[in-house]
Amino acid sequence: MRNTLNYFYEKLAGIYARNEIKSICFMVMQNICNCSRTDLLVADSINLTDEQKSRFDALMERLLNREPIQYIIGSCHFFDIELNVNNNVLIPRPETEELVDWILNDNANEVGSLFDICTGSGCIAISIKKTKPNFRVSALDLSEGAIETAQENARKNNCDIEFITDDILSPKHLAEAKHDIIVSNPPYVKEEEKADMEANVLEYEPAMALFVPDENPLLFYDAIGRYSLTHLNKGGKLYFEINEALGNETVALLEKIGFQNVTLKKDIFGKDRMVRAQL
């Protein structure tokens, strides 16, 4: 495995950081060889069949074009579950796992309802439903491709979730149901921030799930906050993943709308990344 890892370091140097290359190497070889990480670690050498070599070469070419490994192999792991991913949905990030963990630790009751807005791959909704199967969970996205992917992931993980295709900025199909929890990881990257982003994100991940206008970066937080005012049960909670540069502005917006006990929370890297508000 050491020789294989050194090959990846050599081929992908300058495209990815060294620790990221190591992770990519194991993901690739597990996919090609259909084996576990442990199998690779204990292997003295890796001998590929002609078919596996052909797949390996094609996969490496896509990596050299900066295509994310998760899209290449079609899956990723999130909060101990496996999810299908494609260019209709964002690749779930570790900070979103922190958001899920906060929600679960914050809401110990085994019965309740949760609505996930801008669900993408369904990672938040499915993770919570898997952990709290008695919760009634529904999820919304504007993208039909995202909803199809999220539905696949719910079936894959044996989760009964209601999925809705609609635009939260101008909803047409939403029922008047109320929820105990509303959560969203909406688009929050300002257009001006594109210059600081990696090519593998800009060229492959869906722009509609990432970017907001520079002049109105909190438009989704405003729309979802106002929707939540009339669709949360009394004492219900609203959770957001946020732009690290707009933490105080997001808190001020939610307080202005009418929420109480608005809390700004940092991620493990010390960045303002999550907000909780209560009705």
Side-chain angles (χ1 to χ4, degrees), residues 134-268:
N134 292 327
F135 257 54
R136 176 171 55 84
V137 176
S138 53
L140 172 145
D141 205 284
L142 172 61
S143 165
E144 292 184 1
I147 288 294
E148 289 174 3
T149 303
Q151 288 172 328
E152 291 172 3
N153 285 326
R155 289 192 293 269
K156 182 175 185 175
N157 287 280
N158 299 312
C159 288
D160 181 15
I161 295 173
E162 178 191 8
F163 289 100
I164 305 159
T165 305
D166 207 346
D167 182 359
I168 193 60
L169 299 181
S170 182
K172 297 179 177 63
H173 312 298
L174 285 183
E176 290 302 311
K178 290 200 170 187
H179 310 277
D180 298 303
I181 301 167
I182 292 177
V183 58
S184 184
N185 178 17
Y188 59 66
V189 181
K190 293 191 288 184
E191 289 283 344
E192 66 185 22
E193 295 177 289
K194 283 184 177 180
D196 300 322
M197 298 177 70
E198 298 291 339
N200 59 336
V201 176
L202 288 174
E203 294 175 14
Y204 291 98
E205 299 202 50
M208 68 179 294
L210 286 167
F211 297 109
V212 287
D214 293 337
E215 66 276 10
N216 190 14
L218 298 179
L219 79 164
F220 281 93
Y221 298 88
D222 184 54
I224 295 168
R226 294 182 187 281
Y227 173 85
S228 299
L229 278 180
T230 55
H231 291 82
L232 275 172
N233 291 320
K234 182 63 178 175
K237 297 170 187 171
L238 172 63
Y239 294 85
F240 280 121
E241 184 174 319
I242 66 168
N243 186 320
E244 65 184 85
L246 298 172
N248 292 329
E249 292 85 343
T250 307
V251 169
L253 171 67
L254 293 174
E255 289 177 339
K256 181 180 178 181
I257 288 174
F259 282 93
Q260 301 175 347
N261 304 321
V262 182
T263 303
L264 180 62
K265 186 176 175 66
K266 297 182 184 297
D267 63 17
I268 59 171

Side-chain angles (χ1 to χ4, degrees), residues 56-117:
F56 180 91
D57 291 341
L59 197 150
M60 181 58 72
E61 184 176 347
R62 293 172 71 179
L63 284 171
L64 290 170
N65 286 326
R66 299 177 183 265
E67 185 173 355
I69 181 60
Q70 295 89 342
Y71 288 163
I72 296 173
I73 65 175
S75 67
C76 70
H77 283 89
F78 178 88
F79 214 81
D80 295 329
I81 62 174
E82 186 177 272
L83 298 169
N84 296 341
V85 289
N86 52 57
N87 57 12
N88 288 309
V89 300
L90 295 179
I91 299 164
R93 267 57 172 188
E95 49 265 37
T96 309
E97 291 183 303
E98 292 187 60
L99 177 62
V100 170
D101 192 54
W102 192 19
I103 294 170
L104 291 172
N105 289 333
D106 223 15
N107 299 274
N109 291 337
E110 292 301 320
V111 178
S113 61
L114 177 139
F115 187 29
D116 176 23
I117 299 174

